Structure formats: C-alpha cells, structure tokens
Amino acid sequence: MLINTSRTTEVAWRYMNVNMQFPAELEKLNELAYNLWWVWNADALELFRNIDRENWHALKSNPIILLHSLSAEQIQQLAQDKKFMQKLDKVYASFRSYMDVPHDASRPSIAYFSMEYGIANILKIYSGGLGVLAGDYLKEASDSNVDLVAVGLLYRYGYFKQTLSPEGEQIANDEIQNFNDLPIRQMFNADGSPFILEVPYPNRTVYAQVWAVSVGRITLYLMDTDIDKNSEWDRAITYHLYGGDWENRIKQEVLLGIGGMLLLNQLGIKKDVYHCNEGHAALMGLQRMVDLVEKEHLEFNEALEVVRSSGLYTCHTPVPAGHDYFQEDLFYKYMSSYPARLGIEWHDLIGMGRNNPEDSNEKFSMSVFALNTCQEANGVSKLHGAVSQKMFAPVWKGYFPEELHVGYVTNGVHMDTWAAHEWKEIYEENFPHEWISDLSNLKMWEKYAELPDRLIWDTRMALKKKLITFLHEAFADSLRTQCDPARIVQAASQMSEKTLIIGFARRFATYKRAHLLFTDLKRLDKIVNDPKHPVQFLFAGKAHPADGGGKGLIKRIIEISRMPEFMGKIIFLENYDMRLAKRLVSGVDIWLNTPTRPLEASGTSGQKAQMNGVLNFSVLDGWWYEGYVDGAGWAITDKRVYENQAHQDQLDATTIYNMLENQIIPLYYNQNQDGYSHDWIQAIKKSVTQITPRFTTKRMMDDYYDKFYNKLRDRHNLMIANNYEKTKEIVAWKKNIAANWDSIEVVEVDMPQTNIKMEDDFPIKVVLDTHQLKDTGVGIEVVAFNSSLISGETLLGTQELKMTKQVGSILTFETNYSFGHSGGVKLGLRMFPKHELLPHRMDFAYVKWL
C-alpha cells in the first residue's frame, strides 16, 4: 500500500481576545479608541491619525488596529511625547465633559431594535440606507442626552465587499471580521466567564455571546452565535447580514426580537418605549407578551394591551413585496411553542401576522405582526407616510387609507458625521457657540447666507480636490480592473476640481433607474465632452447578490464607461461604503437621484450632500418631495404622464438632458472674473439655509418624541398603574363589545333622499338597539366622499352623530350634516366602538356600515 507523504485537516481557528497593555498615562487613549465618539469628533480623529499618518489610511482609519500595531517602544515614545500627551489630555477632557452629562430624565427612555447599524466604516454590520440611518440615530440620541439602549446582531462576515471583474460583473466577496480588531467589547460575568445568552429554538437552545459597542453615551448590544457551543447550523445565524435562505432569515429575526428582549431582561434593562426599526425585530413584541403572561400573570389580551401601549413600528419600505413573509409551516417550526405559553390557539398567533387572519393561504408578515403589537406606526417621509397608509389599509378594512393612524417622521442625517470638517470649522467661526445643539433653528442658519461667496466657492473647490485625491489613492487598483491600464492616466488627468462633477451613489435596485442617464448616448456624449463646459459622472453602489437586474445595470455602466467617448467621463467606483460616501457627498457638485415614484421611502444621501453645499437634482420623491425649494436645486416632476414605464423613463431621461443642458451646466459655468459662479453660490446658500435645518437627526429625534414617544410613555404608564387597572378595564370592555357587536340591531335610519342645496342642513337620525351590550360605547358617523373627473374620489371628511336619547338598550343618534361641496357626493353611515382609553380607532377596528 502506498503511504501518503502529506495529510492534513482544515485548520480549526479559535478566536481569542488579547488585551492591549498601556502605561497608565495612555489608558485614556485606549478608552477613546473603544468609544465610537471619535467617529464624529474631528479632534479625536486627528489625534489617532497623528500617531501614524503614513499608515492611517492603510489601516482603514481603525484606531484599534492602529494601537494593536504599536510596539512597546512606540508606546513608550508616545507616552514621552509632551506635545502628543497635551493633545491627548485636551481631547480626553472634551470626551469626559461630553460623557458626564446625565440623560435627560424628562424624556421617555427608548429600547431601539434594528437588524443593521451603520456607525463606522470599520464595523461592518450595515448594508445601506437603513443601517446608516440607524447609526445616525444612535449618534443623535447620544448628542441629545437621550436614555436609549440599542440591540442588534454582530455579523462575522457583515455585508459583502464588492469588486468588479474585468468584464464588469459584480463579485460579492465575503471578508471575515476579526472582532478583536474592532471597537467593541465582549461582555463577561462577574466571575470572568463570558456572558452567554440562551435563546430557545425548536428542540434546542441557541447560545449567543454579547458584545457592547459604546456610541458616545449610548450602548449598542450585539448578539453573536458564532461560538463553539452552537452547531455549525446555528453558528451561521450571524454570519451574514441578509444572507442565506428564508429559514436563516427567520432564525435571525428570532434572535433579534426574542433574543434581544431576553438580553435586556437578563441585563435588567427596562425602557418606556420599544421602537421596532423595520419589521425584522417584530418578534420583540411576542417575547414581551410572554414575559407579562408568565411573570405578571396577565392573560393574553391584557398582555397585548400593555405591549401595544409602548410599541412603535417604523416602516422603511414602500411596497408590500419589500416586507418579510414566511410560509405557515416554516413559521410553525419556530413559533409553535408560543401559543400555549400565551394561553391562545395557533390560529390566533399566526392570524396576528395576516391581513386576513382566517385565510390559511396567506403568509405570515412580520410587518403586519408589528402593526398589531405596536400602538403607533410611521413611515419615513411625508409622502411615504401616505404610501404606507395605502399599503397597510388591508389590516383595518373598515377605514380608508387617509384615516389611518399611520404617521410619518421624515428621516434626517447626523450633521457631525456627514458635514465635512471644513464646513464645521466655518460654522464654529460664524454661528453661535452652541450651534450644534440648535440645528433646527432656521433663524440661525440665515447666517450662512451672509458668508462671502468666495469662501463658499473655495471650500467647495477644496472638497472637490480632496475627493479627487481620495479617488486617486483608493481606487487606482479597482480602475485597473475596469479598463486598459494605459487609459488610467487619461482618466485620472480628466479629474479636475474645475469640472462639474455629478454623483449618483446608492443601492443598485432597478427602481432607482440608474440607466436613465444612458438612454441617449449621443446626447450624453455631447454633454460630457463639451470642451468649454466639461461634465463628469461618478457612479457607485452595490446590487444585492440575488438581484440580477441591479447587477446588470452595473455591468452596463461599466461597459459604457469603457467606450472611448466616455473614458474618464463616466466612472464607476466599486465597493460603496460609508468612507466613500462621505467623500462623494462632500466632493461632488450635484447629487443625482432618479427613482420611480413613489418607491423612494425617504433617501438620506441627498440630505448628506446638501449640507455640504452640494445641490440636489432629483425626482420629487421621498424626502425631496417635501425638501425641494425652488432655486435651491432641481426637481424632476412627480407627475406620471405614461402608464407604460418604458415611455415614462424615456420622458424623464429627456427631462434630465434638457435640465442639464439648459439650466444646470450654464449656471455652473457662468463664472465671473473672479473665477466662480455667483448664481451657483446663491443656490447653495438657499439650499443650506432653507433645507439643511429641516433634515437633520436633531429634528428627526425631536419629531419622534413629539409625535410618538411622549404619548406612548404616558399611555403605557396609565395602563400599568395600580396593578394594570386601566388595562383590565379596557380589555373587559373590548370583550363585551366583541361578544355583542353582531347582535346590535339597526332599528331606524332616517336620511332624506332628495336633492339638497349646499347651504342647507341635512338631518340624519339613527336608532340602535344594543340588546345585551349594556354599554353606550358605540358611535355613529357620516363618511362623505365626492367624485371628480380630475381627482377621482376624495374623502371629504367625517361627522359624528350625537347620542340624543337613551331608553334602556335603545340609543338614538342625530346630526345636521352640512355639505361643503356641490356636485356628486356619496354618504355612508359607519358604526364604531368608542372608549376614552382607546388611543385611536385602529386599536379596536370594529366597523359596521349601516
């Protein structure tokens, strides 16, 4: 028998924490590195950068890796460097002054759950806008002294790194994260053993170690299942963000929602409001109900009432297809034990995730479950709020979309993170001392209009130079894979701060319509190759690995960028991430956005751009629908001319070309003898003064408190007071209404059937016999619509009838309805339950049309 001369098995790596040892005087540096406050503090960033300026970029601006790379000799040198130590002391004093401010106890405390967070480029637990928004929100919570705790997952591979093949195909690369190299700390028990969370899964327990991330004053807890105690099947739960099949997705959402609540319970953390950022975390409501049933001995309906009273669900998705739906058999596999724990039947639980609870063919929707377990819900822009009302209307069939309680808070961005350092220095010099905590003050921003035109233009040019330098350094290798290396010099030489640069960077989904610009290549050729008025387009973005259409768009742009006439004029930058985003939103001149309306829920990249003096050129969708100001950017109409999308795309593309040729390019190049465009600067001033203060996370945070958090806190406190007295009262009332609703008899409806004059009163009378209900908690209202050839059917409004008489179980309701409109009007009479403890009609959406 031949004896093999070589044999081995696959390496079984084991990850361990190796702690840095610093002399006492440098422990401050270590403390700073492990708090992501440095992400948005320029002095702290500069402190770390100065330790090794030559390698800071190569180390991906990661202070943990930087400090790990220092030798004992280098550490001693730092400790003996008086200038460095003085700078360290100054930054640390600023940090402690910031950290030592107590939470604002007058505001409700928040538990925030999200599948992803984009806080820093080096912590790869985000894929795009949803995560970056969540990360900005945590930073704002810290700046605003909010008592907030956040929960998420720690992904071993994060979201994929994008590279491009020589043929222009997107390649999704998995890059493992070494958690020891990240600004996160593993949690340990008092005895020094790892803190391990136990989460129940079918026929087994899944174990998660927990990591704490300090985001200024806020703590983000991340759960990680990639440990030896789990099977390979379960270790993979936290391998990839949005990776795997539907079964892995539900496993992730069980960990986030149920595991997240178990984690807070184990840490002894209770908050006033529980905020579900997208439907991924909806199962947190399920675990909260289990806790109330098993620990507080409430019955299911009481537990649901308490959970709802402090729950907020934020939807970021404008179409039903974008939500998570699970087949009943898969949902049953993971949730079958919960009905018994709640004292209900299986059909009761799964029905809470269906538009039609009795339809056994309908999948379970996490979003519908979130709506049914949260008292409040919101979209993420004014337009998206209206879109969400229509999208969720099937949950409450007795009401029309515009009547629903679903509100909106328009997304914003974190000024200290996304405004370039150059702009913040200008603000420090020209704005009041506390400007950063008063960002929503429109009056304060008027000072921006007083800045010299030359200062604004020079700052813009400096930021464009910075972008070009960054692209030369960071993307030389990637550009070599996209074209003939001999043309790299040509492409690089055409990048100049004097050129009008237009940026388009976002997730490459087909509805974003990145292809519009390339509808007429001959016309585009003339635009970009005008020798007196050159234009350059920078594209960046990832397509989901399963999105063939999005990947095809990327390939097509690469193909066009290689055509001789577009070489150096159309450039695609690979691996769009937060670091590249910050350079783009501060360095280009125009931010282009061309979604199919109304499929842009909000969008925040344009908000980041405009606070850096970049002008938006966008479809009136998402945030731009309410943000656009005439003369402060450009708007592509929201009106649809063609039902055929291809025809509409053609029209919109023509509009883009026309506006570039006739408005945007001439305005930019209308430069005076001093070398800048006065009219362009006026547009920037108008954009910053009138738009910036309305789209920051400061305003966003305040809106959440004013619209949702405060009233949730107040109602929750009411519902839990005196051993849940009000909870038990409203549940008993709902049970009585539900048991007797169908037996309520309509005795009389008196409504004249004659032509009526607009100024005349229209008397309406309704008589009900409530029989065994023994309650007057019933309302009747008139619902009026009018019809128009122009606007279609429009809800005119409602008018409640007044109960004028009660004789035993006989209730009489009357009103005089006033018509405010002429023409065709249709009236309906709607019966509904009413009680002072109901937060809104959708909370108990029983309806009978008379």
Side-chain angles (χ1 to χ4, degrees), residues 89-124:
D89 288 343
K90 181 181 178 182
V91 172
Y92 186 76
S94 176
F95 172 68
R96 285 309 336 159
S97 175
Y98 177 90
M99 292 295 294
D100 292 341
V101 176
H103 292 310
D104 184 351
S106 68
R107 305 180 92 178
S109 58
I110 312 298
Y112 189 82
F113 287 64
S114 183
M115 186 72 99
E116 54 174 303
Y117 295 89
I119 305 167
N121 190 62
I122 59 174
L123 183 56
K124 299 183 186 303

Short mmCIF file of all heavy atoms in Angstrom, two decimals, residues 89-124:
data_model
loop_
_atom_site.label_atom_id
_atom_site.label_comp_id
_atom_site.label_asym_id
_atom_site.label_seq_id
_atom_site.Cartn_x
_atom_site.Cartn_y
_atom_site.Cartn_z
N ASP A 89 -4.63 64.87 26.41
CA ASP A 89 -5.33 65.38 27.59
C ASP A 89 -6.48 66.31 27.19
O ASP A 89 -7.56 66.28 27.78
CB ASP A 89 -4.35 66.14 28.50
CG ASP A 89 -3.39 65.20 29.21
OD1 ASP A 89 -3.68 63.99 29.26
OD2 ASP A 89 -2.34 65.68 29.70
N LYS A 90 -6.25 67.12 26.15
CA LYS A 90 -7.28 68.05 25.71
C LYS A 90 -8.48 67.29 25.12
O LYS A 90 -9.64 67.59 25.44
CB LYS A 90 -6.69 69.01 24.66
CG LYS A 90 -7.70 70.03 24.15
CD LYS A 90 -7.06 70.95 23.10
CE LYS A 90 -8.09 71.93 22.56
NZ LYS A 90 -7.50 72.82 21.51
N VAL A 91 -8.19 66.31 24.26
CA VAL A 91 -9.28 65.53 23.65
C VAL A 91 -10.02 64.74 24.71
O VAL A 91 -11.25 64.67 24.71
CB VAL A 91 -8.72 64.61 22.55
CG1 VAL A 91 -9.82 63.65 22.05
CG2 VAL A 91 -8.18 65.41 21.39
N TYR A 92 -9.27 64.16 25.63
CA TYR A 92 -9.91 63.34 26.67
C TYR A 92 -10.78 64.21 27.59
O TYR A 92 -11.88 63.78 28.00
CB TYR A 92 -8.87 62.60 27.50
CG TYR A 92 -9.48 61.64 28.49
CD1 TYR A 92 -10.00 60.41 28.07
CD2 TYR A 92 -9.56 61.96 29.84
CE1 TYR A 92 -10.58 59.53 28.96
CE2 TYR A 92 -10.14 61.08 30.75
CZ TYR A 92 -10.65 59.87 30.29
OH TYR A 92 -11.23 59.00 31.19
N ALA A 93 -10.33 65.41 27.89
CA ALA A 93 -11.14 66.31 28.73
C ALA A 93 -12.45 66.64 28.02
O ALA A 93 -13.51 66.70 28.65
CB ALA A 93 -10.35 67.58 29.03
N SER A 94 -12.38 66.85 26.71
CA SER A 94 -13.58 67.12 25.93
C SER A 94 -14.51 65.90 25.94
O SER A 94 -15.73 66.03 26.07
CB SER A 94 -13.19 67.48 24.49
OG SER A 94 -14.34 67.65 23.69
N PHE A 95 -13.92 64.73 25.82
CA PHE A 95 -14.69 63.48 25.85
C PHE A 95 -15.40 63.30 27.19
O PHE A 95 -16.59 62.99 27.25
CB PHE A 95 -13.74 62.31 25.57
CG PHE A 95 -14.36 60.95 25.76
CD1 PHE A 95 -15.34 60.49 24.90
CD2 PHE A 95 -13.94 60.12 26.80
CE1 PHE A 95 -15.90 59.22 25.06
CE2 PHE A 95 -14.49 58.86 26.97
CZ PHE A 95 -15.48 58.41 26.10
N ARG A 96 -14.67 63.51 28.27
CA ARG A 96 -15.27 63.33 29.59
C ARG A 96 -16.35 64.38 29.86
O ARG A 96 -17.40 64.08 30.46
CB ARG A 96 -14.21 63.42 30.69
CG ARG A 96 -13.29 62.27 30.87
CD ARG A 96 -13.86 60.88 31.00
NE ARG A 96 -15.21 60.76 31.47
CZ ARG A 96 -15.96 59.67 31.26
NH1 ARG A 96 -15.49 58.67 30.56
NH2 ARG A 96 -17.18 59.59 31.73
N SER A 97 -16.11 65.59 29.38
CA SER A 97 -17.12 66.63 29.54
C SER A 97 -18.40 66.25 28.82
O SER A 97 -19.50 66.49 29.31
CB SER A 97 -16.58 67.96 28.99
OG SER A 97 -17.57 68.96 29.03
N TYR A 98 -18.24 65.61 27.66
CA TYR A 98 -19.40 65.14 26.89
C TYR A 98 -20.07 63.96 27.59
O TYR A 98 -21.29 63.93 27.77
CB TYR A 98 -18.91 64.72 25.49
CG TYR A 98 -19.96 64.13 24.58
CD1 TYR A 98 -20.72 64.93 23.74
CD2 TYR A 98 -20.17 62.75 24.54
CE1 TYR A 98 -21.66 64.39 22.89
CE2 TYR A 98 -21.11 62.19 23.69
CZ TYR A 98 -21.86 63.01 22.86
OH TYR A 98 -22.79 62.46 22.03
N MET A 99 -19.29 63.00 28.02
CA MET A 99 -19.83 61.76 28.58
C MET A 99 -20.49 61.96 29.94
O MET A 99 -21.42 61.24 30.29
CB MET A 99 -18.72 60.71 28.71
CG MET A 99 -18.20 60.20 27.39
SD MET A 99 -19.45 59.29 26.45
CE MET A 99 -19.70 57.87 27.52
N ASP A 100 -20.02 62.91 30.69
CA ASP A 100 -20.50 63.07 32.06
C ASP A 100 -21.82 63.83 32.17
O ASP A 100 -22.33 64.02 33.28
CB ASP A 100 -19.42 63.77 32.90
CG ASP A 100 -18.20 62.89 33.11
OD1 ASP A 100 -18.32 61.67 32.93
OD2 ASP A 100 -17.11 63.43 33.42
N VAL A 101 -22.37 64.25 31.05
CA VAL A 101 -23.69 64.90 31.07
C VAL A 101 -24.75 63.81 31.26
O VAL A 101 -24.80 62.85 30.49
CB VAL A 101 -23.96 65.67 29.76
CG1 VAL A 101 -25.37 66.25 29.76
CG2 VAL A 101 -22.93 66.77 29.58
N PRO A 102 -25.60 63.90 32.28
CA PRO A 102 -26.58 62.84 32.53
C PRO A 102 -27.69 62.84 31.48
O PRO A 102 -27.92 63.83 30.79
CB PRO A 102 -27.14 63.19 33.91
CG PRO A 102 -26.93 64.67 34.02
CD PRO A 102 -25.67 64.98 33.27
N HIS A 103 -28.36 61.70 31.37
CA HIS A 103 -29.51 61.60 30.47
C HIS A 103 -30.58 62.60 30.87
O HIS A 103 -30.74 62.95 32.05
CB HIS A 103 -30.11 60.19 30.53
CG HIS A 103 -29.23 59.13 29.96
ND1 HIS A 103 -28.64 59.24 28.72
CD2 HIS A 103 -28.86 57.92 30.44
CE1 HIS A 103 -27.92 58.15 28.48
NE2 HIS A 103 -28.04 57.34 29.49
N ASP A 104 -31.32 63.05 29.89
CA ASP A 104 -32.46 63.94 30.14
C ASP A 104 -33.62 63.09 30.67
O ASP A 104 -34.33 62.43 29.91
CB ASP A 104 -32.85 64.65 28.84
CG ASP A 104 -33.98 65.66 29.04
OD1 ASP A 104 -34.57 65.69 30.13
OD2 ASP A 104 -34.28 66.40 28.08
N ALA A 105 -33.81 63.12 31.97
CA ALA A 105 -34.80 62.26 32.61
C ALA A 105 -36.24 62.69 32.31
O ALA A 105 -37.18 61.94 32.57
CB ALA A 105 -34.57 62.24 34.12
N SER A 106 -36.41 63.89 31.74
CA SER A 106 -37.76 64.35 31.44
C SER A 106 -38.31 63.70 30.17
O SER A 106 -39.51 63.76 29.91
CB SER A 106 -37.78 65.87 31.27
OG SER A 106 -37.07 66.26 30.11
N ARG A 107 -37.44 63.07 29.39
CA ARG A 107 -37.87 62.46 28.13
C ARG A 107 -37.98 60.95 28.31
O ARG A 107 -37.21 60.35 29.07
CB ARG A 107 -36.90 62.79 27.00
CG ARG A 107 -36.66 64.27 26.81
CD ARG A 107 -35.69 64.56 25.68
NE ARG A 107 -36.39 64.76 24.41
CZ ARG A 107 -35.76 65.07 23.27
NH1 ARG A 107 -34.45 65.19 23.24
NH2 ARG A 107 -36.46 65.28 22.16
N PRO A 108 -38.92 60.32 27.63
CA PRO A 108 -39.07 58.86 27.74
C PRO A 108 -37.78 58.14 27.34
O PRO A 108 -37.05 58.58 26.45
CB PRO A 108 -40.20 58.55 26.76
CG PRO A 108 -40.96 59.82 26.61
CD PRO A 108 -39.95 60.92 26.76
N SER A 109 -37.53 57.03 28.00
CA SER A 109 -36.39 56.18 27.64
C SER A 109 -36.81 55.21 26.53
O SER A 109 -37.98 54.83 26.42
CB SER A 109 -35.88 55.42 28.86
OG SER A 109 -36.92 54.63 29.42
N ILE A 110 -35.83 54.79 25.71
CA ILE A 110 -36.13 54.05 24.49
C ILE A 110 -35.27 52.78 24.41
O ILE A 110 -34.08 52.82 24.69
CB ILE A 110 -35.84 54.90 23.23
CG1 ILE A 110 -36.45 56.29 23.35
CG2 ILE A 110 -36.31 54.18 21.96
CD1 ILE A 110 -37.93 56.34 23.48
N ALA A 111 -35.90 51.68 23.99
CA ALA A 111 -35.18 50.48 23.55
C ALA A 111 -35.36 50.40 22.05
O ALA A 111 -36.49 50.35 21.55
CB ALA A 111 -35.72 49.24 24.23
N TYR A 112 -34.26 50.39 21.31
CA TYR A 112 -34.27 50.51 19.84
C TYR A 112 -33.71 49.23 19.24
O TYR A 112 -32.58 48.83 19.54
CB TYR A 112 -33.43 51.71 19.45
CG TYR A 112 -33.48 52.14 18.02
CD1 TYR A 112 -34.52 52.93 17.54
CD2 TYR A 112 -32.47 51.79 17.13
CE1 TYR A 112 -34.55 53.36 16.22
CE2 TYR A 112 -32.48 52.21 15.81
CZ TYR A 112 -33.53 53.00 15.36
OH TYR A 112 -33.54 53.42 14.05
N PHE A 113 -34.50 48.58 18.39
CA PHE A 113 -34.11 47.31 17.77
C PHE A 113 -33.96 47.51 16.26
O PHE A 113 -34.88 48.03 15.61
CB PHE A 113 -35.17 46.24 18.02
CG PHE A 113 -35.23 45.71 19.42
CD1 PHE A 113 -35.58 46.53 20.49
CD2 PHE A 113 -34.94 44.38 19.69
CE1 PHE A 113 -35.65 46.05 21.78
CE2 PHE A 113 -35.01 43.88 20.98
CZ PHE A 113 -35.36 44.71 22.04
N SER A 114 -32.84 47.07 15.71
CA SER A 114 -32.64 47.17 14.27
C SER A 114 -31.74 46.04 13.80
O SER A 114 -30.83 45.61 14.52
CB SER A 114 -32.01 48.53 13.91
OG SER A 114 -31.86 48.67 12.52
N MET A 115 -31.98 45.56 12.58
CA MET A 115 -31.18 44.47 12.02
C MET A 115 -29.78 44.95 11.63
O MET A 115 -28.85 44.15 11.57
CB MET A 115 -31.88 43.89 10.79
CG MET A 115 -31.23 42.67 10.19
SD MET A 115 -31.44 41.19 11.20
CE MET A 115 -32.81 40.43 10.34
N GLU A 116 -29.63 46.24 11.36
CA GLU A 116 -28.33 46.75 10.93
C GLU A 116 -28.09 48.15 11.48
O GLU A 116 -29.04 48.90 11.74
CB GLU A 116 -28.21 46.74 9.41
CG GLU A 116 -29.32 47.46 8.68
CD GLU A 116 -29.08 47.54 7.17
OE1 GLU A 116 -28.03 48.09 6.77
OE2 GLU A 116 -29.94 47.09 6.40
N TYR A 117 -26.80 48.48 11.62
CA TYR A 117 -26.38 49.80 12.10
C TYR A 117 -25.13 50.22 11.33
O TYR A 117 -24.13 49.50 11.30
CB TYR A 117 -26.03 49.76 13.59
CG TYR A 117 -27.19 49.48 14.51
CD1 TYR A 117 -27.52 48.17 14.86
CD2 TYR A 117 -27.96 50.51 15.05
CE1 TYR A 117 -28.58 47.89 15.72
CE2 TYR A 117 -29.02 50.25 15.90
CZ TYR A 117 -29.33 48.93 16.23
OH TYR A 117 -30.38 48.67 17.08
N GLY A 118 -25.21 51.39 10.70
CA GLY A 118 -24.04 51.94 10.03
C GLY A 118 -23.47 53.07 10.86
O GLY A 118 -23.88 54.22 10.73
N ILE A 119 -22.53 52.74 11.73
CA ILE A 119 -21.96 53.73 12.65
C ILE A 119 -20.58 54.17 12.18
O ILE A 119 -20.24 55.34 12.19
CB ILE A 119 -21.87 53.16 14.08
CG1 ILE A 119 -23.24 52.66 14.53
CG2 ILE A 119 -21.33 54.21 15.04
CD1 ILE A 119 -23.20 51.81 15.77
N ALA A 120 -19.79 53.20 11.77
CA ALA A 120 -18.45 53.46 11.27
C ALA A 120 -18.13 52.46 10.18
O ALA A 120 -18.61 51.32 10.20
CB ALA A 120 -17.41 53.35 12.40
N ASN A 121 -17.32 52.88 9.24
CA ASN A 121 -16.99 52.01 8.11
C ASN A 121 -16.35 50.71 8.55
O ASN A 121 -16.53 49.66 7.91
CB ASN A 121 -16.06 52.77 7.16
CG ASN A 121 -15.88 52.04 5.85
OD1 ASN A 121 -16.83 51.84 5.11
ND2 ASN A 121 -14.65 51.63 5.56
N ILE A 122 -15.61 50.75 9.65
CA ILE A 122 -14.85 49.56 10.06
C ILE A 122 -15.72 48.52 10.76
O ILE A 122 -15.32 47.37 10.89
CB ILE A 122 -13.68 49.96 10.99
CG1 ILE A 122 -14.21 50.68 12.24
CG2 ILE A 122 -12.68 50.81 10.25
CD1 ILE A 122 -13.13 50.98 13.26
N LEU A 123 -16.92 48.90 11.21
CA LEU A 123 -17.83 47.97 11.86
C LEU A 123 -18.89 47.58 10.84
O LEU A 123 -19.88 48.27 10.64
CB LEU A 123 -18.46 48.62 13.10
CG LEU A 123 -19.39 47.74 13.95
CD1 LEU A 123 -18.69 46.48 14.42
CD2 LEU A 123 -19.91 48.54 15.14
N LYS A 124 -18.66 46.44 10.18
CA LYS A 124 -19.45 46.09 9.00
C LYS A 124 -20.72 45.32 9.40
O LYS A 124 -20.85 44.12 9.17
CB LYS A 124 -18.60 45.30 8.02
CG LYS A 124 -17.39 46.10 7.54
CD LYS A 124 -16.58 45.37 6.50
CE LYS A 124 -15.31 46.13 6.15
NZ LYS A 124 -15.57 47.49 5.66
#
